[in-house]
Amino acid sequence: MAMLWKFMRVAKYSKTALSSKVKVRGIPTHLRHSSSKSVPSDFASNAPCSNTVELLGKAYPQDDYSNVTEKILSKVGKDLHNKKHHPLWLIKEQVKDHFYKQYTGRRGTPLFSVYDSLSPVVTVQQNFDSLLVPQNHASRRKDDNYYLNRDHMLRAHTSAHQWDLIHSGLDAFLAVGDVYRRDTIDNTHYPVFHQMEGVRLFSCHELFSSIKDGESLQLFEQGHRTAHKQECHTMEAVRLVEFNLKQVLTKLMTHIFGDGLEVRWVDCYFPFTHPSFEMEINFQGEWLEVLGCGVMEQQLLNSAGAQDKIGWAFGLGLERLAMILYSIPDIRLFWSEDERFLKQFVVPHIWQKVKFQPLSRYPPLINDISFWLPSEMYSKNDFYDLARTVGGDLIEKVVLVDEFTHPKTKKVSHCYRIIYRHPERTLTKEEVHRIHQAIEESAVQELGVEGRF
């Protein structure tokens, strides 16, 4: 259900050191966003050409859907949410601690189980089909996801584990992990981020036991789908599930951000929950979206073997919460190994208040790049991915600032503004020039654009 978290949504070429868990073999040039001319690579020259990706102990043959890059593969297995005293770990532990203490079974044991080491490699069936995402839904596009091949991908949301965990017999759980999406480049977006999924199912007795004359109420009926309920649910059941969900999440946010927090709910639509909501909080005078949630589609529960239960699910982004709570201004900082950043979160207990003290604000260097688009299919995310691969975390932001169509040839030109800024040191004009030139060359070679450099 973390899909609800905005579902729709150097000096030379810096060669990424691959994790020991990741081994890539023979990625063809047309599948890599790299410039072999500008960037010598031991990986490229020494690896046998078997056209497979070996990841977390398994080999995945590549095909026409393969688009994962070496840069992205280097992030797999980092598991920032499991690194003690990392800000993402702190947020995860706070949510866990709240659920463990707030919701217990009859014997005092935690009601919610937690899964934070599930593999980020999932099947397309897990990521989309099991969640009832239509075949033609925009969220399946190669432009927005990292595919190992047509059948396997890096999960785009922790919702990919929903069906399996419910099918295993779980009624209440939290699933935490790194997720991967091709996206824009700015201070709040990164191709790898972290999500937490929450699911709770109710039997008829569990939902109505505290209600006066609840024994006469039912979960299901043969009705019609409306804006407020699914065709198989009774209105009484939906209202109670909705009330419980909003109460649980309001308590969670109040516990994290403090008493007096103002909360509002916005109705929305997502493929595998109905009705669906986004939660916004008023934090320091600004309304901020923090999570998405809703009543689970009964068809999903039926297929997973929970046909006699009704449930809710929510999804939240750990970076989003940490940036708000700790006043962290740039999402790239979560990947920093600078002790000045990391030491600020070494605290005696997880509920210790922390306000991030900014590192020196180094000056930006700004360069534009313009080119004619190829006649074949082109996606802005292809360029964003390429720029991220070549420039790495030296790139703070990429913005499409101009789009021009030639009146005679009808060719389309894009101009992107690239803002370079290292979060930990001052960049020189010379190194930025070399990176920018490598991006220009790679764009021509890999994307087939015609440069206007």
Side-chain angles (χ1 to χ4, degrees):
M1 184 46 200
M3 187 190 302
L4 296 185
W5 182 238
K6 278 304 178 187
F7 185 90
M8 37 113 230
R9 350 176 255 55
V10 26
K12 292 191 179 178
Y13 176 78
S14 178
K15 176 178 163 244
T16 306
L18 289 179
S19 157
S20 60
K21 298 182 182 179
V22 180
K23 187 175 183 182
V24 186
R25 293 185 176 179
I27 298 181
T29 302
H30 74 280
L31 294 177
R32 285 184 289 123
H33 288 165
S34 62
S35 169
S36 57
K37 178 178 178 181
S38 302
V39 191
S41 170
D42 296 335
F43 150 75
S45 59
N46 296 333
C49 191
S50 63
N51 293 334
T52 62
V53 176
E54 290 188 15
L55 189 57
L56 303 177
K58 294 184 179 180
Y60 301 91
Q62 297 184 83
D63 56 29
D64 60 325
Y65 250 63
S66 305
N67 66 351
V68 66
T69 64
E70 182 181 1
K71 177 76 174 179
I72 295 303
L73 289 172
S74 71
K75 304 292 186 182
V76 178
K78 296 292 186 182
D79 295 336
L80 299 183
H81 60 289
N82 288 333
K83 291 180 65 174
K84 193 171 183 179
H85 296 303
H86 191 279
L88 297 181
W89 175 84
L90 285 176
I91 288 289
K92 181 196 74 171
E93 291 300 311
Q94 287 181 22
V95 177
K96 276 176 54 180
D97 184 66
H98 173 76
F99 272 87
Y100 278 176
K101 292 177 178 176
Q102 190 75 28
Y103 307 101
T104 57
R106 282 179 291 183
R107 297 183 179 180
T109 56
L111 186 65
F112 285 79
S113 51
V114 178
Y115 301 86
D116 58 9
S117 299
L118 300 169
S119 173
V121 178
V122 297
T123 64
V124 172
Q125 196 278 336
Q126 288 174 299
N127 200 79
F128 295 122
D129 298 337
S130 71
L131 298 170
L132 313 178
V133 178
Q135 288 291 331
N136 61 350
H137 198 278
S139 63
R140 291 177 178 257
R141 297 182 307 179
K142 284 176 61 178
D143 293 347
D144 299 323
N145 299 284
Y146 287 105
Y147 285 91
L148 297 173
N149 52 41
R150 280 186 170 271
D151 298 321
H152 296 85
M153 63 188 297
L154 296 176
R155 62 189 169 206
H157 42 252
T158 45
S159 311
H161 305 290
Q162 249 187 39
W163 192 96
D164 292 326
L165 292 172
I166 294 171
H167 187 65
S168 71
L170 295 174
D171 285 345
F173 59 84
L174 304 175
V176 194
D178 44 336
V179 299
Y180 300 77
R181 294 188 202 165
R182 304 179 77 199
D183 211 338
T184 54
I185 299 176
D186 57 37
N187 68 327
T188 62
H189 291 84
Y190 201 81
V192 189
F193 53 105
H194 299 76
Q195 291 184 331
M196 175 176 285
E197 190 85 4
V199 168
R200 173 78 192 276
L201 306 184
F202 302 88
S203 66
C204 186
H205 173 73
E206 288 171 325
L207 190 62
F208 296 127
S209 61
S210 60
I211 304 298
K212 183 179 180 181
D213 299 324
E215 62 275 3
S216 64
L217 299 177
Q218 300 296 320
L219 297 180
F220 307 112
E221 67 176 8
Q222 291 184 342
H224 301 282
R225 179 170 290 235
T226 69
H228 306 290
K229 63 181 283 294
Q230 297 172 39
E231 58 273 23
C232 56
H233 292 156
T234 64
M235 183 58 74
E236 295 85 359
V238 171
R239 289 303 187 204
L240 277 174
V241 170
E242 181 182 323
F243 175 78
N244 181 267
L245 170 61
K246 291 180 177 180
Q247 187 180 52
V248 165
L249 294 175
T250 300
K251 283 183 178 179
L252 172 63
M253 291 300 132
T254 301
H255 200 61
I256 291 176
F257 292 101
D259 292 332
L261 185 73
E262 190 177 358
V263 172
R264 70 184 181 192
W265 299 93
V266 180
D267 293 346
C268 55
Y269 169 76
F270 295 103
F272 57 98
T273 58
H274 181 75
S276 304
F277 315 94
E278 288 176 346
M279 182 188 199
E280 297 179 349
I281 63 171
N282 191 337
F283 187 72
Q284 298 180 350
E286 183 179 1
W287 282 102
L288 302 168
E289 179 194 338
V290 292
L291 56 82
C293 60
V295 179
M296 297 187 70
E297 283 284 352
Q298 197 62 37
Q299 183 182 342
L300 189 159
L301 296 182
N302 292 348
S303 68
Q307 62 274 5
D308 57 342
K309 295 180 180 179
I310 188 172
W312 54 246
F314 71 81
L316 58 83
L318 297 185
E319 279 88 348
R320 181 64 166 161
L321 290 184
M323 291 179 79
I324 297 171
L325 183 62
Y326 302 132
S327 300
I328 298 174
D330 194 320
I331 197 170
R332 293 176 299 167
L333 284 167
F334 291 105
W335 297 89
S336 174
E337 296 183 357
D338 191 326
E339 286 298 311
R340 293 174 299 167
F341 174 75
L342 297 175
K343 281 185 176 179
Q344 295 187 42
F345 302 94
V346 179
V347 290
H349 58 85
I350 60 173
W351 294 104
Q352 174 77 42
K353 290 189 180 299
V354 178
K355 183 173 176 59
F356 171 65
Q357 299 301 313
L359 310 180
S360 299
R361 189 65 170 171
Y362 298 101
L365 291 174
I366 302 173
N367 283 324
D368 290 352
I369 178 171
S370 298
F371 47 75
W372 296 105
L373 305 189
S375 56
E376 302 148 12
M377 187 180 298
Y378 168 85
S379 165
K380 288 185 292 185
N381 280 350
D382 288 337
F383 179 70
Y384 295 146
D385 212 28
L386 182 146
R388 180 85 75 180
T389 300
V390 177
D393 288 351
L394 303 187
I395 296 179
E396 179 178 81
K397 191 173 186 177
V398 179
V399 183
L400 177 62
V401 293
D402 184 60
E403 188 170 354
F404 168 73
T405 302
H406 195 283
K408 292 184 178 180
T409 64
K410 304 303 179 184
K411 293 176 65 175
V412 178
S413 171
H414 278 187
C415 177
Y416 295 89
R417 179 153 297 153
I418 304 179
I419 301 174
Y420 299 88
R421 189 196 321 248
H422 198 293
E424 299 164 5
R425 65 179 177 84
T426 299
L427 294 172
T428 66
K429 291 183 179 180
E430 290 74 18
E431 65 179 319
V432 167
H433 174 73
R434 288 193 289 269
I435 300 166
H436 198 75
Q437 189 174 39
I439 291 175
E440 292 174 340
E441 294 175 1
S442 293
V444 171
Q445 295 179 19
E446 308 299 333
L447 302 183
V449 305
E450 182 183 341
R452 303 179 67 187
F453 313 141

Coordinates of all heavy atoms in Angstrom, one line a residue, residues 368-436:
D368 N 23.5 24.6 -18.5 CA 22.4 24.1 -19.3 C 22.8 23.2 -20.4 O 24.0 23.2 -20.8 CB 21.7 25.3 -20.0 CG 20.9 26.2 -19.0 OD1 20.8 25.8 -17.8 OD2 20.5 27.3 -19.4
I369 N 21.9 22.3 -20.8 CA 22.2 21.4 -21.9 C 21.0 21.3 -22.8 O 19.8 21.2 -22.3 CB 22.6 20.0 -21.4 CG1 22.8 19.0 -22.6 CG2 21.5 19.4 -20.5 CD1 23.4 17.7 -22.1
S370 N 21.2 21.5 -24.1 CA 20.1 21.6 -25.1 C 20.3 20.5 -26.2 O 21.5 20.3 -26.6 CB 19.9 22.9 -25.7 OG 19.6 23.9 -24.8
F371 N 19.3 19.9 -26.6 CA 19.4 18.9 -27.7 C 18.1 18.7 -28.4 O 17.0 18.9 -27.9 CB 20.0 17.6 -27.2 CG 19.4 17.0 -26.0 CD1 18.2 16.4 -26.0 CD2 20.1 17.1 -24.8 CE1 17.6 15.9 -24.9 CE2 19.5 16.6 -23.6 CZ 18.2 16.0 -23.7
W372 N 18.2 18.2 -29.7 CA 17.0 17.8 -30.4 C 16.7 16.4 -30.1 O 17.6 15.5 -30.0 CB 17.3 17.9 -32.0 CG 17.6 19.3 -32.5 CD1 18.8 19.8 -32.9 CD2 16.6 20.3 -32.7 NE1 18.6 21.1 -33.3 CE2 17.3 21.5 -33.2 CE3 15.2 20.4 -32.5 CZ2 16.7 22.7 -33.5 CZ3 14.6 21.6 -32.8 CH2 15.3 22.7 -33.3
L373 N 15.4 16.1 -29.8 CA 15.0 14.8 -29.4 C 15.1 13.9 -30.6 O 14.9 14.3 -31.8 CB 13.6 14.8 -28.9 CG 13.3 15.8 -27.7 CD1 11.9 15.5 -27.1 CD2 14.4 15.6 -26.6
P374 N 15.3 12.6 -30.4 CA 15.3 11.6 -31.5 C 13.9 11.4 -32.0 O 12.9 11.7 -31.2 CB 15.8 10.3 -30.8 CG 15.5 10.5 -29.4 CD 15.6 12.0 -29.1
S375 N 13.7 10.9 -33.2 CA 12.4 10.7 -33.7 C 11.7 9.5 -33.0 O 10.5 9.4 -33.0 CB 12.5 10.4 -35.2 OG 13.3 9.3 -35.4
E376 N 12.5 8.6 -32.4 CA 11.9 7.5 -31.7 C 11.4 7.9 -30.3 O 11.6 9.1 -29.9 CB 12.9 6.3 -31.5 CG 13.5 5.9 -32.8 CD 14.9 5.4 -32.7 OE1 15.4 5.3 -31.6 OE2 15.5 5.2 -33.8
M377 N 10.8 7.0 -29.6 CA 10.3 7.3 -28.3 C 11.4 7.9 -27.3 O 12.5 7.3 -27.3 CB 9.6 6.1 -27.7 CG 8.9 6.4 -26.4 SD 8.2 4.8 -25.7 CE 7.0 4.4 -27.0
Y378 N 11.0 9.0 -26.7 CA 12.0 9.6 -25.7 C 11.2 9.9 -24.4 O 10.1 10.3 -24.5 CB 12.6 10.8 -26.3 CG 13.3 11.7 -25.3 CD1 14.7 11.4 -25.0 CD2 12.7 12.7 -24.7 CE1 15.4 12.2 -24.1 CE2 13.4 13.5 -23.7 CZ 14.7 13.2 -23.5 OH 15.4 14.0 -22.6
S379 N 11.9 9.7 -23.3 CA 11.3 10.0 -22.0 C 12.2 10.9 -21.2 O 13.4 10.7 -21.2 CB 11.0 8.7 -21.2 OG 10.7 9.0 -19.9
K380 N 11.6 11.9 -20.6 CA 12.5 12.8 -19.7 C 13.2 12.0 -18.7 O 14.3 12.3 -18.3 CB 11.6 13.9 -19.1 CG 11.1 14.9 -20.0 CD 10.3 16.0 -19.3 CE 9.0 15.5 -18.7 NZ 8.2 16.6 -18.1
N381 N 12.5 10.9 -18.2 CA 13.1 10.1 -17.1 C 14.4 9.4 -17.6 O 15.3 9.0 -16.9 CB 12.1 9.1 -16.6 CG 11.2 9.7 -15.6 OD1 11.4 10.8 -15.1 ND2 10.2 9.0 -15.2
D382 N 14.5 9.1 -19.0 CA 15.7 8.6 -19.5 C 16.8 9.5 -19.3 O 18.0 9.1 -19.0 CB 15.5 8.3 -21.0 CG 14.6 7.1 -21.3 OD1 14.4 6.3 -20.4 OD2 14.0 7.0 -22.4
F383 N 16.6 10.8 -19.6 CA 17.7 11.8 -19.4 C 18.0 12.0 -17.9 O 19.2 12.1 -17.5 CB 17.3 13.1 -20.0 CG 18.4 14.2 -19.8 CD1 19.6 14.1 -20.5 CD2 18.2 15.2 -18.9 CE1 20.6 15.0 -20.3 CE2 19.2 16.1 -18.7 CZ 20.4 16.1 -19.4
Y384 N 17.0 12.0 -17.1 CA 17.2 12.2 -15.6 C 18.1 11.0 -15.1 O 19.0 11.2 -14.3 CB 15.9 12.2 -14.9 CG 15.0 13.4 -15.1 CD1 13.6 13.3 -15.1 CD2 15.6 14.6 -15.4 CE1 12.8 14.4 -15.4 CE2 14.8 15.7 -15.7 CZ 13.4 15.6 -15.7 OH 12.6 16.7 -15.9
D385 N 17.7 9.8 -15.6 CA 18.5 8.6 -15.2 C 19.9 8.7 -15.7 O 20.9 8.3 -14.9 CB 17.8 7.3 -15.7 CG 18.0 6.2 -14.8 OD1 18.1 6.3 -13.6 OD2 17.9 5.0 -15.3
L386 N 20.1 9.1 -16.9 CA 21.5 9.2 -17.4 C 22.3 10.3 -16.7 O 23.4 10.0 -16.3 CB 21.4 9.6 -18.9 CG 22.7 9.8 -19.7 CD1 22.5 9.3 -21.1 CD2 23.2 11.2 -19.7
A387 N 21.6 11.4 -16.4 CA 22.4 12.5 -15.7 C 22.7 12.0 -14.3 O 23.8 12.3 -13.8 CB 21.5 13.7 -15.6
R388 N 21.8 11.3 -13.6 CA 22.1 10.7 -12.3 C 23.2 9.7 -12.3 O 24.1 9.7 -11.5 CB 20.8 10.1 -11.7 CG 21.0 9.5 -10.4 CD 20.8 10.5 -9.3 NE 19.4 10.9 -9.1 CZ 19.0 11.7 -8.2 NH1 19.8 12.3 -7.4 NH2 17.7 12.0 -8.0
T389 N 23.2 8.9 -13.4 CA 24.3 7.9 -13.5 C 25.6 8.5 -13.7 O 26.6 8.1 -13.1 CB 24.0 7.0 -14.7 OG1 22.7 6.3 -14.4 CG2 25.0 5.9 -14.8
V390 N 25.7 9.5 -14.6 CA 27.0 10.2 -14.9 C 27.4 11.1 -13.8 O 28.6 11.0 -13.3 CB 26.9 11.0 -16.2 CG1 28.2 11.7 -16.5 CG2 26.6 10.0 -17.4
G391 N 26.5 11.9 -13.3 CA 26.9 12.9 -12.3 C 26.8 12.5 -10.9 O 27.3 13.1 -10.0
G392 N 26.0 11.4 -10.6 CA 25.9 10.9 -9.3 C 25.2 11.9 -8.4 O 24.4 12.7 -8.8
D393 N 25.6 11.9 -7.1 CA 25.0 12.8 -6.1 C 25.6 14.2 -6.2 O 25.3 15.1 -5.3 CB 25.2 12.2 -4.7 CG 24.3 11.0 -4.5 OD1 23.4 10.8 -5.4 OD2 24.5 10.3 -3.5
L394 N 26.5 14.5 -7.2 CA 26.9 15.9 -7.4 C 25.8 16.7 -8.0 O 25.9 18.0 -8.0 CB 28.2 15.9 -8.3 CG 29.4 15.1 -7.8 CD1 30.6 15.3 -8.7 CD2 29.7 15.4 -6.4
I395 N 24.8 16.1 -8.6 CA 23.7 16.8 -9.2 C 22.6 17.0 -8.2 O 22.1 16.1 -7.6 CB 23.2 16.0 -10.4 CG1 24.3 16.0 -11.5 CG2 21.9 16.7 -11.0 CD1 23.8 15.2 -12.7
E396 N 22.3 18.3 -7.9 CA 21.3 18.6 -6.9 C 19.9 18.6 -7.6 O 18.9 18.2 -7.0 CB 21.6 20.0 -6.3 CG 20.5 20.4 -5.3 CD 20.9 21.7 -4.7 OE1 20.6 22.8 -5.3 OE2 21.5 21.7 -3.6
K397 N 19.8 19.1 -8.8 CA 18.5 19.3 -9.5 C 18.7 19.3 -11.0 O 19.7 19.9 -11.5 CB 17.9 20.6 -8.9 CG 16.4 20.7 -9.3 CD 15.8 22.0 -8.6 CE 14.3 22.1 -8.8 NZ 13.8 23.2 -8.1
V398 N 17.7 18.8 -11.7 CA 17.6 18.9 -13.1 C 16.2 19.4 -13.5 O 15.2 18.8 -13.0 CB 17.9 17.6 -13.8 CG1 17.8 17.7 -15.4 CG2 19.3 17.1 -13.5
V399 N 16.1 20.4 -14.2 CA 14.8 21.0 -14.6 C 14.7 21.2 -16.1 O 15.7 21.8 -16.7 CB 14.6 22.4 -13.9 CG1 13.2 22.9 -14.2 CG2 14.8 22.2 -12.4
L400 N 13.6 20.8 -16.7 CA 13.3 21.1 -18.1 C 12.9 22.6 -18.1 O 11.8 22.9 -17.7 CB 12.2 20.2 -18.6 CG 11.8 20.5 -20.1 CD1 12.9 20.3 -21.0 CD2 10.6 19.6 -20.4
V401 N 13.7 23.5 -18.7 CA 13.4 24.9 -18.6 C 12.9 25.4 -20.0 O 12.3 26.5 -20.0 CB 14.7 25.7 -18.2 CG1 15.1 25.4 -16.8 CG2 15.8 25.5 -19.2
D402 N 13.0 24.7 -21.0 CA 12.5 25.1 -22.3 C 12.2 24.0 -23.2 O 13.0 23.0 -23.3 CB 13.5 26.1 -23.0 CG 13.0 26.7 -24.3 OD1 11.9 27.4 -24.2 OD2 13.5 26.5 -25.4
E403 N 11.1 24.1 -24.0 CA 10.8 23.1 -25.0 C 10.3 23.8 -26.2 O 9.5 24.7 -26.2 CB 9.6 22.2 -24.4 CG 9.3 21.0 -25.3 CD 8.3 20.0 -24.6 OE1 8.0 20.3 -23.5 OE2 7.9 19.1 -25.3
F404 N 11.0 23.5 -27.3 CA 10.8 24.2 -28.6 C 10.6 23.2 -29.7 O 11.3 22.2 -29.9 CB 12.0 25.1 -28.9 CG 12.1 25.7 -30.3 CD1 11.3 26.7 -30.6 CD2 13.0 25.2 -31.2 CE1 11.3 27.3 -31.9 CE2 13.0 25.7 -32.5 CZ 12.2 26.7 -32.8
T405 N 9.6 23.5 -30.6 CA 9.3 22.8 -31.8 C 9.6 23.6 -33.0 O 9.1 24.7 -33.1 CB 7.8 22.3 -31.8 OG1 7.5 21.6 -30.6 CG2 7.5 21.5 -33.0
H406 N 10.5 23.1 -33.8 CA 10.9 23.9 -35.0 C 9.7 24.0 -36.0 O 9.1 23.0 -36.3 CB 12.1 23.1 -35.7 CG 12.8 24.0 -36.8 ND1 12.2 24.2 -38.0 CD2 13.9 24.6 -36.7 CE1 13.0 25.0 -38.7 NE2 14.1 25.3 -37.9
P407 N 9.4 25.2 -36.4 CA 8.2 25.4 -37.2 C 8.2 24.7 -38.6 O 7.1 24.4 -39.1 CB 8.1 26.9 -37.4 CG 9.5 27.4 -37.2 CD 10.1 26.5 -36.2
K408 N 9.4 24.4 -39.1 CA 9.5 23.8 -40.4 C 9.7 22.2 -40.3 O 9.0 21.5 -40.9 CB 10.6 24.4 -41.3 CG 10.3 25.8 -41.7 CD 11.4 26.4 -42.6 CE 11.0 27.8 -43.0 NZ 12.1 28.4 -43.9
T409 N 10.7 21.9 -39.5 CA 11.1 20.4 -39.5 C 10.2 19.7 -38.4 O 10.1 18.5 -38.5 CB 12.5 20.3 -39.0 OG1 12.7 20.8 -37.7 CG2 13.4 21.0 -40.0
K410 N 9.5 20.4 -37.5 CA 8.7 19.9 -36.5 C 9.6 19.1 -35.4 O 9.0 18.4 -34.6 CB 7.6 19.0 -37.0 CG 6.7 19.7 -38.0 CD 6.0 20.9 -37.4 CE 5.1 21.6 -38.3 NZ 4.6 22.9 -37.8
K411 N 10.9 19.2 -35.6 CA 11.7 18.6 -34.6 C 11.6 19.3 -33.2 O 11.4 20.5 -33.2 CB 13.2 18.6 -35.0 CG 13.5 17.7 -36.2 CD 14.9 17.9 -36.7 CE 15.9 17.4 -35.7 NZ 17.3 17.4 -36.2
V412 N 11.7 18.5 -32.1 CA 11.5 19.1 -30.8 C 12.8 19.2 -30.1 O 13.7 18.2 -30.1 CB 10.5 18.2 -30.0 CG1 10.4 18.8 -28.5 CG2 9.2 18.1 -30.6
S413 N 13.0 20.3 -29.4 CA 14.3 20.5 -28.7 C 13.9 20.7 -27.2 O 12.9 21.3 -26.9 CB 15.0 21.8 -29.2 OG 16.1 22.1 -28.3
H414 N 14.8 20.1 -26.3 CA 14.6 20.3 -24.9 C 15.9 21.0 -24.4 O 17.0 20.7 -24.8 CB 14.5 19.0 -24.2 CG 13.1 18.4 -24.2 ND1 12.8 17.3 -23.4 CD2 12.0 18.8 -24.8 CE1 11.5 17.0 -23.6 NE2 11.0 17.9 -24.4
C415 N 15.7 21.9 -23.4 CA 16.8 22.5 -22.7 C 16.6 22.2 -21.2 O 15.6 22.5 -20.6 CB 16.8 24.0 -22.9 SG 18.2 24.8 -22.0
Y416 N 17.6 21.6 -20.6 CA 17.6 21.2 -19.2 C 18.6 22.0 -18.5 O 19.7 22.2 -18.9 CB 17.9 19.7 -19.0 CG 16.9 18.8 -19.6 CD1 17.0 18.3 -20.9 CD2 15.8 18.3 -18.8 CE1 16.0 17.5 -21.4 CE2 14.9 17.5 -19.3 CZ 15.0 17.0 -20.6 OH 14.1 16.2 -21.1
R417 N 18.2 22.5 -17.3 CA 19.2 23.2 -16.4 C 19.6 22.2 -15.3 O 18.8 21.7 -14.6 CB 18.5 24.4 -15.8 CG 19.4 25.2 -14.8 CD 19.0 26.7 -14.8 NE 19.1 27.3 -16.1 CZ 18.4 28.3 -16.5 NH1 17.5 28.9 -15.8 NH2 18.6 28.8 -17.7
I418 N 20.9 22.0 -15.3 CA 21.5 21.1 -14.3 C 22.2 21.9 -13.2 O 23.1 22.7 -13.5 CB 22.5 20.1 -14.9 CG1 21.8 19.4 -16.1 CG2 23.0 19.1 -13.9 CD1 22.7 18.4 -16.8
I419 N 21.8 21.7 -12.0 CA 22.4 22.4 -10.8 C 23.3 21.4 -10.1 O 22.9 20.4 -9.6 CB 21.3 22.9 -9.8 CG1 20.4 23.9 -10.6 CG2 22.0 23.6 -8.6 CD1 19.2 24.4 -9.7
Y420 N 24.6 21.7 -10.1 CA 25.6 20.9 -9.5 C 25.9 21.5 -8.1 O 26.2 22.7 -8.0 CB 26.9 20.8 -10.3 CG 26.7 20.2 -11.7 CD1 26.4 21.0 -12.8 CD2 27.0 18.9 -11.9 CE1 26.2 20.5 -14.0 CE2 26.8 18.3 -13.2 CZ 26.5 19.2 -14.2 OH 26.3 18.6 -15.5
R421 N 25.9 20.6 -7.1 CA 26.3 21.1 -5.7 C 26.6 19.9 -4.9 O 25.7 19.0 -4.7 CB 25.2 21.9 -5.1 CG 25.7 22.6 -3.8 CD 24.6 23.1 -2.8 NE 23.5 23.7 -3.4 CZ 23.1 25.0 -3.4 NH1 23.9 25.8 -2.7 NH2 22.0 25.4 -3.9
H422 N 27.8 19.8 -4.4 CA 28.2 18.7 -3.5 C 27.7 19.0 -2.1 O 27.9 20.1 -1.7 CB 29.7 18.5 -3.6 CG 30.2 17.2 -3.0 ND1 30.0 16.8 -1.7 CD2 30.8 16.1 -3.7 CE1 30.5 15.6 -1.6 NE2 31.0 15.2 -2.7
P423 N 27.1 18.1 -1.4 CA 26.6 18.4 -0.1 C 27.7 18.5 0.9 O 27.4 18.9 2.1 CB 25.7 17.2 0.2 CG 26.2 16.1 -0.6 CD 26.7 16.7 -1.9
E424 N 28.9 18.1 0.6 CA 30.0 18.1 1.6 C 31.2 18.9 1.3 O 32.1 19.0 2.1 CB 30.4 16.6 1.9 CG 29.2 15.8 2.4 CD 29.5 14.3 2.3 OE1 30.6 13.9 1.9 OE2 28.5 13.5 2.5
R425 N 31.3 19.4 0.1 CA 32.5 20.2 -0.3 C 32.2 21.1 -1.5 O 31.1 21.0 -2.1 CB 33.7 19.3 -0.7 CG 33.4 18.4 -1.9 CD 34.7 17.6 -2.2 NE 34.4 16.7 -3.4 CZ 34.6 17.1 -4.7 NH1 35.0 18.3 -4.9 NH2 34.3 16.2 -5.6
T426 N 33.1 22.0 -1.8 CA 33.0 22.9 -2.9 C 33.4 22.3 -4.2 O 34.5 21.7 -4.2 CB 33.8 24.2 -2.7 OG1 33.3 24.9 -1.5 CG2 33.6 25.2 -3.8
L427 N 32.6 22.4 -5.2 CA 33.0 21.8 -6.5 C 33.8 22.9 -7.3 O 33.5 24.1 -7.1 CB 31.7 21.5 -7.3 CG 30.9 20.3 -6.8 CD1 29.6 20.2 -7.6 CD2 31.7 19.0 -6.9
T428 N 34.7 22.4 -8.1 CA 35.4 23.4 -9.0 C 34.8 23.4 -10.4 O 34.1 22.5 -10.8 CB 36.9 22.9 -9.2 OG1 36.9 21.7 -9.9 CG2 37.6 22.7 -7.8
K429 N 35.0 24.5 -11.1 CA 34.4 24.7 -12.4 C 34.9 23.6 -13.4 O 34.2 23.1 -14.2 CB 34.7 26.1 -13.0 CG 33.9 27.2 -12.2 CD 34.2 28.5 -12.9 CE 33.4 29.6 -12.2 NZ 33.7 31.0 -12.8
E430 N 36.2 23.3 -13.1 CA 36.8 22.3 -14.1 C 36.2 20.9 -13.9 O 35.9 20.3 -14.9 CB 38.4 22.2 -13.8 CG 39.1 23.4 -14.1 CD 38.9 24.6 -13.2 OE1 38.4 24.4 -12.0 OE2 39.2 25.8 -13.5
E431 N 36.0 20.4 -12.7 CA 35.4 19.1 -12.6 C 33.9 19.1 -13.0 O 33.5 18.1 -13.6 CB 35.5 18.6 -11.1 CG 34.8 19.3 -10.1 CD 35.0 18.7 -8.7 OE1 35.0 17.4 -8.6 OE2 35.2 19.4 -7.7
V432 N 33.2 20.2 -12.8 CA 31.8 20.2 -13.3 C 31.8 20.3 -14.8 O 30.9 19.6 -15.4 CB 31.1 21.5 -12.7 CG1 29.8 21.7 -13.4 CG2 30.9 21.3 -11.2
H433 N 32.7 21.0 -15.4 CA 32.8 21.0 -16.9 C 33.0 19.6 -17.4 O 32.4 19.2 -18.4 CB 33.9 21.9 -17.3 CG 34.1 21.9 -18.8 ND1 33.3 22.5 -19.7 CD2 35.1 21.3 -19.5 CE1 33.7 22.3 -20.9 NE2 34.8 21.6 -20.9
R434 N 33.9 18.8 -16.8 CA 34.2 17.5 -17.3 C 32.9 16.6 -17.1 O 32.6 15.8 -18.0 CB 35.4 16.9 -16.5 CG 36.7 17.5 -16.9 CD 37.9 16.7 -16.4 NE 38.0 16.8 -15.0 CZ 38.8 17.7 -14.4 NH1 39.4 18.6 -15.1 NH2 38.9 17.7 -13.1
I435 N 32.2 16.7 -16.0 CA 31.0 15.9 -15.8 C 30.0 16.3 -16.8 O 29.3 15.5 -17.4 CB 30.4 16.2 -14.4 CG1 31.4 15.8 -13.3 CG2 29.1 15.4 -14.2 CD1 31.1 16.3 -11.9
H436 N 29.8 17.6 -17.0 CA 28.8 18.1 -17.9 C 29.1 17.6 -19.3 O 28.2 17.3 -20.1 CB 28.7 19.6 -17.9 CG 27.5 20.2 -18.4 ND1 26.3 20.2 -17.8 CD2 27.2 20.8 -19.6 CE1 25.3 20.7 -18.5 NE2 25.9 21.2 -19.6

